[in-house]
């Protein structure tokens, strides 16, 4: 490459500029002399230059330009040569030339280093480069510069980029013709395909600029898994493939940003962002099933349904393509109250696979996405809340019967702070608990209660016997009295003698003691950072955790 004389004769240029300023201020401009006589012509050696890594020292590109208009001996002409990569934040390359050599020449290595190292263009990428030559005229009159430009495309070499103009599904599992994938998320460059595949091999051909690449596994003939799989991009003739074990309908996701591929048989796992109830049993509007607090894989709903058909559409990446239905075709029985395995089909097939709700009424539906199980309860088989009986000396009602639909946190963990007001059921003044720490009844199981919220306080508080602990708590059915029905720890405690305290490990299920006995004085010590509590009255267990 000919090295330009960078900023050569800058002193002369500066003098010329000053002369121009003085002249422009003191004399009238001669419009005839200052008229732009545009004569520079740029002659590049090509419009698209693909740099060749195998020939680093060979000339890749030349740019010639013709001389500017000759205004006579009274004028000095200086040429500024400038290179800009369109879209780059890097500083433009600028050179000055007044020696009459109107040529620039670059080898493959020199252009690669300029584009990649200076301008930041990625390897194996096409970039648009703007070349500009400006002739400035210094003389007695102000003369408009002569400017000529040329925009050319360069393709760098090196490691391939995860980029695609078009992405396909290809291989023997597809057949003779590649199938074009759909760009679902332009920002994250996520492509998807859902359809039938045969047993065989599969990879993902890529059309990108002038490249024919393909995305495949790192090793040849790799087995597919149900999780995201790492991938590499290579020349199409060299790319490896995954093996599809059997003919079925598959859902495929290629994430170009994460460089991962997911190939899942449509019925193998449940891929869903939302679950809904639909069918004539629901009516015109779909009803969303809610993810439970106690288990991210568990969804539940309880409400009124009409006699009619029921299926569960899945919304995934903004579309409803699949639905949860009975596993066996033409079996529409809800298997009232029984745990059953479900299947998945395309939405277009729910006219053949659906459940039949036998009569109008209240139903509870519990679906485990991970275990692929569903239970549909009618009013006859529905799970019932726990009803407890204890002496309510505050009201003088012995025994007092109470259906448990909520549990309250009780103890020194919040220094026995309580809300103002009265109990809605009894009219008694509140004394011990705060609503914001209530445990809410699960829709999936009315004997399970969950707190999920802000981190629980762990105040230090001295009990009636002079013992101080941080964050001691148990769970009560009443907010206005301390002689109700409690869920306490297994710690040794005796009423009017001493309290008991159980150290808790976050994430470890603890046994619990229920009733209206010494368990009222047996407490759990909340672990640091705890914001998630599950009380299971079916198993008499308590879990403290972070979530």
């Amino acid at each position: 490459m000919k090295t330009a004389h960078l900023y050569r004769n800058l002193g002369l240029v500066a003098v010329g500029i000053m002369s121009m300023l003085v002249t422009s201020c003191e004399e009238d401009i001669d419009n005839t002399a200052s008229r732009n006589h545009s004569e520079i012509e740029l002659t590049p050696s090509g419009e698209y230059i693909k740099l060749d890594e195998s020939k680093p020292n060979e000339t890749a590109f030349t740019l010639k330009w013709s001389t500017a208009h000759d205004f006579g001996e009274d004028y000095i002409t200086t040429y500024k040569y400038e290179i800009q990569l369109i879209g780059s934040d890097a500083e433009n390359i600028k050179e000055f030339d007044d020696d009459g050599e109107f040529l620039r020449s670059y080898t493959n290595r020199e252009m690669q280093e300029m584009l990649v190292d200076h301008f930041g263009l990625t390897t194996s990428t096409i970039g648009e480069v703007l070349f500009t030559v400006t002739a400035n005229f210094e003389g007695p009159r102000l003369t408009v510069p002569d400017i000529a430009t040329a925009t050319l495309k360069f393709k760098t070499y090196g490691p391939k980029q995860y980029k695609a103009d078009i992405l396909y599904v290809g291989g023997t599992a597809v057949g003779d013709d590649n199938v074009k994938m759909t760009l679902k998320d332009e920002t994250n460059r996520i492509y998807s395909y859902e359809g039938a595949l045969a047993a065989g091999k599969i990879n993902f051909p890529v059309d990108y600029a002038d490249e024919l690449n393909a995305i495949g596994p790192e090793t040849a003939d790799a087995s597919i898994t149900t999780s995201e799989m790492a991938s590499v991009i290579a020349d199409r003739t060299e790319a490896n493939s995954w093996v599809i074990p059997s003919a079925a309908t598959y859902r495929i996701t290629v994430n170009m940003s994460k460089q991962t591929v997911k190939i899942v048989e449509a019925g193998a796992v449940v891929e869903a962002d939302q679950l809904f109830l639909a069918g004539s049993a629901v009516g015109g509007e779909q009803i969303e099933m809610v993810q439970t607090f106690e288990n991210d894989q568990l969804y539940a709903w309880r409400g009124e349904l009409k006699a009619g058909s029921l299926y569960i559409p899945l919304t995934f990446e903004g579309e409803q393509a699949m639905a949860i239905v009975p596993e066996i075709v033409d079996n529409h029985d809800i298997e009232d109250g029984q745990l059953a395995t479900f299947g998945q089909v395309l939405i277009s097939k729910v006219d053949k696979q659906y459940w039949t709700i036998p009569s109008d009424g209240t139903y509870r539906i519990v679906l485990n996405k991970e275990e692929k199980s569903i239970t549909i309860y009618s009013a006859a088989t529905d799970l019932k809340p726990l009803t407890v009986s204890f002496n309510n000396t505050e009201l003088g009602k012995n025994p007092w019967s109470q259906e448990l639909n909520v549990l309250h946190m009780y103890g020194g963990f919040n220094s026995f702070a309580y809300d103002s007001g009265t109990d809605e059921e009894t009219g008694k003044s509140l004394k011990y608990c705060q609503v914001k720490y209530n445990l809410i009844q699960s829709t999936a199981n009315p004997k399970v209660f969950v707190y999920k919220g802000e981190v629980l306080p762990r105040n230090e508080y001295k009990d009636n016997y002079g013992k101080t602990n941080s964050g001691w708590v148990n769970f009560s059915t009443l907010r206005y009295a301390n002689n109700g029905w409690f869920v306490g720890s297994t710690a040794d405690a005796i009423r009017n003698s001493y309290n008991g305290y159980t150290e808790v490990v976050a994430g470890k299920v603890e046994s619990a003691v229920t009733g209206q006995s010494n368990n009222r004085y047996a407490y759990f010590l909340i672990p640091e950072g705890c914001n998630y509590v599950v009380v299971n009255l079916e198993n008499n267990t308590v879990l403290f955790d972070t979530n």
Side-chain angles (χ1 to χ4, degrees):
M1 168 183 174
K2 175 186 176 297
T3 303
H5 303 285
L6 186 61
Y7 298 110
R8 172 186 259 186
N9 298 325
L10 285 182
L12 180 59
V13 172
V15 170
I17 293 173
M18 290 301 295
S19 174
M20 290 164 58
L21 291 174
V22 172
T23 302
S24 63
C25 292
E26 295 182 356
E27 299 183 33
D28 294 334
I29 296 175
D30 183 340
N31 289 330
T32 301
S34 65
R35 190 172 298 147
N36 186 0
H37 298 272
S38 180
E39 295 186 7
I40 296 179
E41 291 184 1
L42 301 186
T43 307
S45 60
E47 295 182 354
Y48 175 69
I49 296 92
K50 185 174 182 180
L51 302 178
D52 190 342
E53 186 175 14
S54 66
K55 302 173 182 177
N57 298 318
E58 287 193 9
T59 299
F61 166 70
T62 59
L63 179 68
K64 300 177 183 179
W65 65 92
S66 61
T67 58
H69 180 77
D70 185 0
F71 287 99
E73 294 181 356
D74 291 336
Y75 287 85
I76 297 174
T77 304
T78 302
Y79 295 87
K80 182 175 71 172
Y81 170 74
E82 193 167 2
I83 307 174
Q84 174 189 2
L85 175 66
I86 297 174
S88 172
D89 293 330
E91 185 177 354
N92 295 352
I93 294 174
K94 300 177 183 178
E95 301 172 354
F96 288 87
D97 197 332
D98 62 356
D99 61 4
E101 295 184 28
F102 309 131
L103 171 69
R104 291 294 185 274
S105 175
Y106 303 90
T107 66
N108 286 292
R109 179 188 288 126
E110 286 168 342
M111 273 316 290
Q112 174 84 3
E113 291 174 352
M114 181 191 300
L115 293 172
V116 174
D117 298 340
H118 178 79
F119 286 115
L121 185 63
T122 53
T123 58
S124 192
T125 301
I126 295 174
E128 283 192 308
V129 180
L130 175 64
F131 294 89
T132 304
V133 174
T134 304
N136 289 292
F137 308 100
E138 302 159 21
R141 297 290 187 270
L142 178 63
T143 303
V144 176
D146 186 0
I147 301 173
T149 62
T151 302
L152 313 175
K153 291 184 178 181
F154 288 82
K155 172 73 179 299
T156 56
Y157 53 76
K160 295 180 180 297
Q161 302 299 315
Y162 265 79
K163 294 181 179 180
D165 297 322
I166 306 175
L167 185 64
Y168 303 91
V169 185
T172 59
V174 179
D176 295 334
D177 297 322
N178 295 336
V179 178
K180 185 178 178 180
M181 298 190 73
T182 303
L183 179 60
K184 305 295 291 185
D185 184 338
E186 189 170 354
T187 301
N188 297 304
R189 298 183 296 135
I190 298 174
Y191 292 78
S192 69
Y193 167 80
E194 188 166 312
L197 296 177
K201 296 182 180 181
I202 188 174
N203 63 17
F204 303 94
V206 174
D207 287 352
Y208 173 60
D210 59 354
E211 295 184 8
L212 295 177
N213 301 322
I215 294 171
E218 294 182 358
T219 58
D221 300 338
S223 299
I224 62 171
T225 68
T226 56
S227 58
E228 290 185 332
M229 301 177 293
S231 66
V232 295
I233 191 166
D235 285 334
R236 195 172 296 183
T237 57
E238 301 173 359
N240 294 320
S241 299
W242 285 278
V243 175
I244 300 299
S246 57
T249 298
Y250 288 83
R251 175 181 289 168
I252 300 172
T253 303
V254 178
N255 190 320
M256 301 286 282
S257 297
K258 294 171 63 178
Q259 301 179 13
T260 59
V261 171
K262 192 171 185 179
I263 306 172
V264 180
E265 189 176 343
V269 298
V270 180
E271 289 191 304
D273 301 317
Q274 293 172 289
L275 277 66
F276 294 87
L277 303 179
S280 61
V282 176
E285 295 288 334
Q286 295 184 2
I287 301 173
E288 184 173 3
M289 295 187 72
V290 179
Q291 198 174 30
T292 65
F293 285 143
E294 65 269 28
N295 186 340
D296 290 344
Q297 297 297 315
L298 200 64
Y299 290 74
W301 176 85
R302 186 174 186 271
E304 299 300 314
L305 293 175
K306 298 289 186 180
S309 64
L310 175 73
Y311 60 94
I312 303 175
L314 311 175
T315 298
F316 181 64
E317 296 180 345
E319 289 190 359
Q320 283 190 351
M322 302 291 293
I324 290 173
V325 294
E327 186 177 31
I328 301 173
V329 179
D330 296 328
N331 177 18
H332 307 299
D333 188 357
I334 66 169
E335 301 181 60
D336 194 356
Q338 301 298 311
L339 185 71
T341 302
F342 61 73
Q344 296 177 76
V345 297
L346 296 171
I347 287 286
S348 59
K349 297 184 178 181
V350 296
D351 59 334
K352 295 183 179 180
Q353 281 184 264
Y354 57 84
W355 288 280
T356 298
I357 300 301
S359 59
D360 295 2
T362 301
Y363 290 82
R364 186 192 305 268
I365 302 174
V366 181
L367 185 148
N368 192 309
K369 195 167 71 170
E370 184 176 41
E371 297 177 358
K372 293 186 65 180
S373 65
I374 187 170
T375 308
I376 302 176
Y377 302 90
S378 69
T381 62
D382 195 13
L383 303 172
K384 303 297 188 293
L386 182 66
T387 298
V388 297
S389 182
F390 57 93
N391 291 332
N392 191 333
T393 56
E394 187 80 12
L395 299 181
K397 294 183 179 180
N398 304 317
W400 166 267
S401 184
Q402 184 177 9
E403 184 179 275
L404 298 190
N405 295 308
V406 65
L407 282 176
H408 311 286
M409 292 192 194
Y410 173 97
F413 76 106
N414 65 340
S415 302
F416 282 98
Y418 58 89
D419 298 322
S420 60
T422 57
D423 183 78
E424 294 179 0
E425 184 176 11
T426 65
K428 302 290 290 186
S429 296
L430 304 177
K431 296 180 181 179
Y432 299 105
C433 305
Q434 291 178 285
V435 168
K436 67 179 180 179
Y437 299 128
N438 281 356
L439 284 83
I440 306 304
Q441 192 172 44
S442 169
T443 307
N445 186 339
K447 292 185 176 69
V448 174
F449 296 84
V450 182
Y451 169 81
K452 189 176 184 180
E454 64 183 61
V455 173
L456 295 173
R458 301 177 66 252
N459 295 349
E460 284 192 350
Y461 199 82
K462 184 184 294 185
D463 66 16
N464 293 337
Y465 311 103
K467 190 167 185 178
T468 299
N469 280 293
S470 297
W472 44 286
V473 70
N474 57 21
F475 308 95
S476 171
T477 59
L478 302 180
R479 293 181 64 204
Y480 58 86
N482 63 355
N483 64 342
W485 190 90
F486 274 75
V487 179
S489 77
T490 57
D492 180 35
I494 301 294
R495 182 187 179 192
N496 295 329
S497 296
Y498 53 88
N499 293 343
Y501 302 92
T502 296
E503 291 276 358
V504 171
V505 176
K508 180 176 179 289
V509 176
E510 304 285 345
S511 296
V513 179
T514 61
Q516 193 187 33
S517 186
N518 290 324
N519 66 300
R520 286 183 290 165
Y521 310 98
Y523 299 91
F524 302 93
L525 298 180
I526 299 171
E528 289 188 14
C530 176
N531 69 335
Y532 178 67
V533 183
V534 180
V535 176
N536 188 325
L537 296 180
E538 202 159 52
N539 303 325
N540 285 343
T541 59
V542 177
L543 170 70
F544 293 84
D545 208 348
T546 57
N547 192 304

